[in-house]
Amino acid sequence: MSQLDKIKELVELRKKARLGGGEKAIAKQHEKGKYTARERIAMLLDEGSFEEMDMFVEHRCSNFGMEKKHYLGDGVVTGSGTISGRLVYVFAQDFTVSAGSLSEMLASKICKVMDMAMKVGAPVIGLNDSGGARLQEGINALAGYAEIFQRNIMASGVVPQISGIFGPCAGGAVYSPALTDFTLMVENTSYMFLTGPGPVKAVLGEVVTQEQLGGASVHATKSGVTHFTATNEDEAIMMIKQLISYLPQNNLEKTPRIECTDPINRMEDYLNEIIPDNPNEPYDMYQVISGIVDNGEFMEIQPNYAKNIIIGFARFNGMAVGIVANQPKQLAGVLDCNASRKAARFVRTCDAFNIPIVTLVDVPGFLPGTGQEYNAVILHGAKLLYAYGECTVPKVTVTLRKSYGGSHIVMSCKQLRGDLNYAWPSSEIAVMGASGAASVLYAKDAKALKDAGKVEEAKAFIKEKEEEYNKLFATPYQAAKYGYIDDVIEPRNTRFRIIRALDQLDNKKAQNPAKKHGNIPL
């Protein structure tokens, strides 16, 4: 065979590999409203930047007639490329080849790109669309999953890991996305569960559809498993690109910084009036966020899960920052099991990748009741406490209104190494609200008046003590007196003060004691 013939053979093999499972399988994928693995990668990466690896890999299985079924690439497309000029590693499972089922060789391809990502310090993006383990390979498939999981664990906190769920992801396959930093699902076409509808019905007698069991809406609202949901694959790809823009390449780099077109001293007068006079009246924290961040742009994470707390990425003077904020419009902004867990995970993610954290506080306490206590709100609240206390990135905290009791502590207070803690004049920093405090402090006096038949006098007495408590504690100045608040600021000037704070903290150095790792309450 001549040199030209060999080159022609190479070209033909590449053409064959790019067809995956063949034209019919590709057409079937399109009929479901889904793109192929290669189409997804082409949409995700900068044009012409994809460098494919292991295009000619094939499985080595001969069980159940598998020796007759060979496809170049073996069900996953892997390689590297750039997004807005920044290097990323990517793998996309190819449903047109054996339903994207995971084999020993398919796993080895994924492991190779993960190893490369760790070696050079670049993000890993996995696009999942697979029927699960390849049954014909038995233990080899399970070993392949475990090899991937081990790399997910080793890469955790070292390079960003993003999982896009673009089809089925069931059984052991779900653990890789669960171990990564961010998971995205597509409505109506993707689902995740450990045990499918068939076994659920057989074991429990429970009849449930795939969508009801593990669809995007379920994991976006009930379980919190997914961080983002997209209405279609085009939107999903754009969301991954946007997310990458906020993340550094690895844990040794600072967050990306872009040119800021929004004046740093921009004032929003409406912030001076956004806090209602009635302390029990809600307002919308999203209005505060949009008023202070660059160009009002905010990429929210888990927007439909635990809505009483808001988390997400924004920029201040071009610097990527993580925002954690209580939402008074949902459950009065209280912390509960889910909100604590949601915020704690986000704080640790930001800390792992050197992303400064801005915390906006308006929290009346933890949600009471047996439902919360039985679901370990103590441990979940401790997760948030632990996350903030362990965190060494720049931390700027602004208290807008309420900050009571234990919830005050866990929301990045000064004693948890908050670097700069500001408060609006409307803030109330105390052990509890005036009504509860007066009822506890003067219970005996009020009871004595009631027992003497002086019910109205008892009410007036408690009212007077509430006002007294309010004058003392329903202000930021008591905390400022002790240095727990660094400054009381005008609300409309919040953007400028946060930017100034972040600038002075840009070269912050803080270290935790040497240890193997802490024992976070899980």
Side-chain angles (χ1 to χ4, degrees):
M1 186 182 289
S2 70
Q3 183 69 9
L4 288 176
D5 287 335
K6 290 177 180 179
I7 292 172
K8 186 178 179 182
E9 181 187 30
L10 170 63
V11 171
E12 289 300 316
L13 284 172
R14 286 192 182 281
K15 186 177 178 182
K16 182 181 177 183
R18 290 191 182 105
L19 281 175
E23 297 283 5
K24 287 185 179 179
I26 291 171
K28 196 172 180 182
Q29 182 84 340
H30 288 161
E31 284 169 16
K32 296 176 185 175
K34 296 163 66 176
Y35 291 114
T36 66
R38 292 181 183 280
E39 288 168 341
R40 290 165 182 158
I41 289 175
M43 294 162 63
L44 178 66
L45 302 180
D46 297 337
E47 188 175 353
S49 71
F50 183 48
E51 289 288 327
E52 187 168 352
M53 297 167 61
D54 291 333
M55 179 184 272
F56 305 117
V57 163
E58 297 182 32
H59 71 75
R60 301 188 291 187
C61 178
S62 58
N63 301 327
F64 303 101
M66 284 300 291
E67 70 278 1
K68 300 171 186 173
K69 300 176 182 177
H70 281 276
Y71 296 94
L72 294 176
D74 198 30
V76 68
V77 182
T78 61
S80 65
T82 60
I83 296 177
S84 298
R86 296 171 60 202
L87 177 67
V88 297
Y89 283 84
V90 62
F91 66 86
Q93 293 171 336
D94 186 352
F95 200 81
T96 69
V97 176
S98 302
S101 58
L102 189 124
S103 67
E104 172 197 14
M105 295 308 296
L106 188 154
S108 74
K109 287 182 64 174
I110 293 174
C111 289
K112 185 186 282 189
V113 293
M114 295 179 77
D115 290 341
M116 286 293 292
M118 286 285 280
K119 194 181 293 184
V120 304
V124 179
I125 301 170
L127 306 181
N128 296 265
D129 187 4
S130 167
R134 193 169 295 174
L135 299 179
Q136 296 92 331
E137 296 208 12
I139 190 63
N140 288 338
L142 295 182
Y145 273 131
E147 291 283 0
I148 294 169
F149 302 159
Q150 181 63 38
R151 283 163 175 79
N152 287 135
I153 294 164
M154 292 297 100
S156 183
V158 180
V159 295
Q161 300 179 80
I162 299 170
S163 297
I165 314 300
F166 286 77
C169 185
V174 299
Y175 282 122
S176 181
L179 291 167
T180 60
D181 300 302
F182 298 100
T183 300
L184 179 147
M185 296 184 73
V186 181
E187 293 173 8
N188 302 317
T189 59
S190 67
Y191 54 83
M192 297 175 72
F193 42 68
L194 276 170
T195 310
V200 167
K201 182 180 180 182
V203 175
L204 300 174
E206 186 180 350
V207 179
V208 64
T209 65
Q210 288 183 339
E211 184 64 28
Q212 292 168 336
L213 188 60
S217 62
V218 169
H219 290 310
T221 61
K222 298 182 187 300
S223 71
V225 166
T226 191
H227 299 87
F228 305 97
T229 59
T231 54
N232 55 52
E233 293 193 18
D234 297 81
E235 184 185 15
I237 294 292
M238 290 306 299
M239 290 174 84
I240 293 173
K241 289 184 176 185
Q242 185 184 0
L243 176 59
I244 279 286
S245 75
Y246 288 103
L247 302 174
Q249 290 293 93
N250 54 65
N251 65 338
L252 299 179
E253 294 189 10
K254 288 186 176 181
T255 57
R257 194 155 195 165
I258 65 172
E259 185 180 350
C260 179
T261 57
D262 192 353
I264 64 170
N265 59 352
R266 170 175 56 80
M267 292 188 180
E268 293 292 353
D269 289 335
Y270 75 84
L271 294 179
N272 278 6
E273 301 174 1
I274 198 169
I275 303 294
D277 292 332
N278 181 349
N280 297 318
E281 188 178 326
Y283 61 94
D284 194 348
M285 186 62 79
Y286 289 113
Q287 291 184 324
V288 177
I289 294 170
S290 64
I292 63 176
V293 302
D294 289 358
N295 303 307
E297 294 174 2
F298 178 56
M299 186 176 193
E300 188 173 4
I301 296 166
Q302 293 179 300
N304 297 311
Y305 177 73
K307 291 183 178 182
N308 39 324
I309 203 157
I310 298 167
I311 60 173
F313 293 119
R315 289 186 175 88
F316 285 94
N317 196 22
M319 178 192 294
V321 169
I323 291 179
V324 179
N326 306 111
Q327 171 57 299
K329 283 191 74 175
Q330 296 286 335
L331 295 173
V334 298
L335 288 170
D336 58 8
C337 294
N338 291 342
S340 299
R341 186 163 63 92
K342 169 182 170 180
R345 179 52 156 52
F346 182 65
V347 168
R348 298 193 95 210
T349 301
C350 289
D351 190 43
F353 294 111
N354 308 315
I355 302 170
I357 299 170
V358 171
T359 306
L360 305 175
V361 182
D362 188 349
V363 60
F366 281 90
L367 187 63
T370 56
Q372 290 296 304
E373 298 296 352
Y374 294 173
N375 281 292
V377 69
I378 295 170
L379 289 180
H380 292 302
K383 289 174 185 174
L384 185 53
L385 173 67
Y386 190 108
Y388 269 121
E390 179 189 43
C391 181
T392 60
V393 296
K395 291 180 281 190
V396 180
T397 304
V398 183
T399 302
L400 281 60
R401 186 168 63 176
K402 298 173 184 175
S403 185
Y404 293 159
S407 61
H408 159 76
I409 297 169
V410 306
M411 289 299 294
S412 197
C413 71
K414 199 68 175 172
Q415 293 71 32
L416 293 184
R417 302 190 295 182
D419 295 300
L420 285 165
N421 292 58
Y422 297 131
W424 285 7
S426 50
S427 62
E428 308 168 14
I429 303 170
V431 175
M432 63 175 67
S435 176
S439 298
V440 172
L441 291 171
Y442 300 100
K444 288 183 180 178
D445 304 273
K447 185 177 184 300
L449 286 170
K450 287 178 182 176
D451 290 345
K454 300 177 180 179
V455 177
E456 292 304 316
E457 287 89 335
K459 288 181 181 178
F461 173 74
I462 289 294
K463 184 77 173 172
E464 179 188 333
K465 292 302 178 184
E466 280 182 27
E467 290 172 3
E468 187 179 315
Y469 190 89
N470 268 326
K471 284 180 184 176
L472 188 61
F473 291 113
T475 76
Y477 302 108
Q478 188 77 359
K481 183 192 296 185
Y482 293 102
Y484 302 150
I485 292 296
D486 296 300
D487 199 6
V488 180
I489 65 175
E490 193 176 347
R492 68 177 185 158
N493 203 28
T494 302
R495 169 175 167 78
F496 180 69
R497 297 302 296 271
I498 289 175
I499 289 172
R500 273 278 185 87
L502 292 170
D503 281 346
Q504 66 170 289
L505 293 168
D506 194 35
N507 291 317
K508 173 188 173 182
K509 300 267 189 307
Q511 283 188 321
N512 292 323
K515 52 186 170 181
K516 187 174 182 180
H517 58 72
N519 194 13
I520 187 170
L522 295 173

